[in-house]
Amino acid sequence: MDLRHLRYFVAVADQRSFTRAAETLHIEQPPLSQQIKALERELGVQLFIRSRQGATLTETGVQLLEQARSILAMERQFHSLARGLARGEQGRLRVGMAGAVSLLPLIPRALRTFREKWPDIIVTLEESNTPALCEALRERRVDIAIVRPPAPDPTIFLHPLLDESTVIALPKGHAHSSRHGLHLRDIAQEPFIIFERELGPGFYDAIIAACQKAGFTPHLGQSAPQITATIPMVAAGMGVSIVPAYLHQIHAEGATFHPIIGPAPRATISLASRTPTLSGPTANFHAVLRELVSSEEDAGGF
């Protein structure tokens, strides 16, 4: 059925006249009458009783009128939703986050800003590691993901966000725990706690490379099941670690955090997507992230 026929039907019913309906529709009256007759033939019913006084709905026409209005309302809602989705103003956004990224102050600020600008978008979050989130992207279980490069899947596209500074985490009472800044070589002889490489190969390799550049290969101790787990393990006296600076927010009892003097690894974070070009809600969320990153960098952060 041509929805145009339903619009014509509703217009004639509202105006109770083919002539007035044709004027409101900006068409000629004879074609309008022909279209209504075509609709009646298609439906197999008579919709109007025609007279010199105008057009009166039949009983069948009365019962079909509300259905016609509902269908046309659904059409308007459909078009409105489509336009909203195209502009990134409606729909849903499923965001994946890797490697304790959710603890980065940037993330809750970005989510809050995004929700304030686009309140009609439903946002859901999923926390995992980079490889698992790349798989979730490929399987369309998330729309975008904030990950630590590189992506293990060559079909995933990365949009750089920031390189965050790192700090040395020591157990409280360590010989260097009273010092503010430390050189990497200061922990050369310590058992070193680090997460499994497969959870974040880029960050893992950056840590090992920085230590080697400082003149030593770290003595790897017990592995942490995830990046955030390194802090309580350090606090338990199981070793030392190098972690993103924002992890000091965990405030684990028994751990101290120290800026690194000299060359230090950076904790790189990127936005991952299935396509090289973002659109709709993903593009809007990326724009919010980039704006906040730029503001933080201008203020001397990261």
Side-chain angles (χ1 to χ4, degrees), residues 3 21 44 54 72 76 98 110 118 167 187 189 214 221 247 255 264-266 296:
L3 291 179
L72 292 174
R76 289 191 294 272
W118 296 282
V167 295
I187 58 172
Q189 303 304 316
L247 287 190
R266 304 286 290 183
E296 190 68 25

Side-chain angles (χ1 to χ4, degrees), residues 220-242:
L220 299 183
Q222 186 168 337
S223 295
Q226 54 185 341
I227 293 178
T228 52
T230 59
I231 305 304
M233 292 173 71
V234 168
M238 301 170 69
V240 303
S241 189
I242 297 174

Side-chain angles (χ1 to χ4, degrees), residues 2-29:
D2 190 337
L3 291 179
R4 179 185 52 176
H5 288 165
L6 292 186
R7 284 192 287 273
Y8 291 170
F9 167 45
V10 171
V12 175
D14 288 342
Q15 296 298 325
R16 299 183 181 182
S17 164
F18 282 87
T19 302
R20 289 194 298 271
E23 291 173 355
T24 62
L25 293 168
H26 305 291
I27 62 175
E28 296 296 325
Q29 189 271 330

Side-chain angles (χ1 to χ4, degrees), residues 74-238:
M74 290 176 62
E75 181 202 19
R76 289 191 294 272
Q77 292 169 5
F78 181 84
H79 283 290
S80 176
L81 176 59
R83 290 190 293 268
L85 290 171
R87 293 191 300 264
E89 298 172 353
Q90 289 180 277
R92 65 177 181 177
L93 180 65
R94 299 166 299 178
V95 182
M97 293 180 291
V101 164
S102 60
L103 295 177
L104 188 65
L106 165 74
I107 302 305
R109 288 205 300 269
L111 291 169
R112 183 169 57 251
T113 301
F114 184 82
R115 291 286 296 134
E116 289 171 353
K117 288 187 174 182
W118 296 282
D120 292 333
I121 295 180
I122 299 172
V123 180
T124 59
L125 306 176
E126 178 177 330
E127 193 164 9
S128 188
N129 55 64
T130 294
L133 287 174
C134 286
E135 181 179 351
L137 270 171
R138 188 176 62 252
E139 295 178 353
R140 298 182 177 275
R141 288 185 279 112
V142 297
D143 300 307
I144 51 174
I146 304 170
V147 301
R148 298 187 181 281
D153 188 336
T155 66
I156 298 301
F157 296 87
L158 296 179
H159 312 266
L161 284 177
L162 62 94
D163 290 329
E164 205 212 5
S165 60
T166 55
V167 295
I168 293 173
L170 300 178
K172 192 172 183 179
H174 187 278
H176 298 315
S177 61
S178 61
R179 294 169 56 185
H180 176 64
L182 295 173
H183 294 276
L184 288 178
R185 62 177 178 269
D186 292 328
I187 58 172
Q189 303 304 316
E190 303 288 345
F192 197 86
I193 300 170
I194 193 169
F195 51 90
E196 294 288 348
R197 184 178 184 276
E198 64 181 19
L199 299 181
F203 187 32
Y204 181 102
D205 291 346
I207 292 173
I208 300 301
C211 291
Q212 291 175 339
K213 189 174 182 179
F216 70 98
T217 298
H219 301 292
L220 299 183
Q222 186 168 337
S223 295
Q226 54 185 341
I227 293 178
T228 52
T230 59
I231 305 304
M233 292 173 71
V234 168
M238 301 170 69

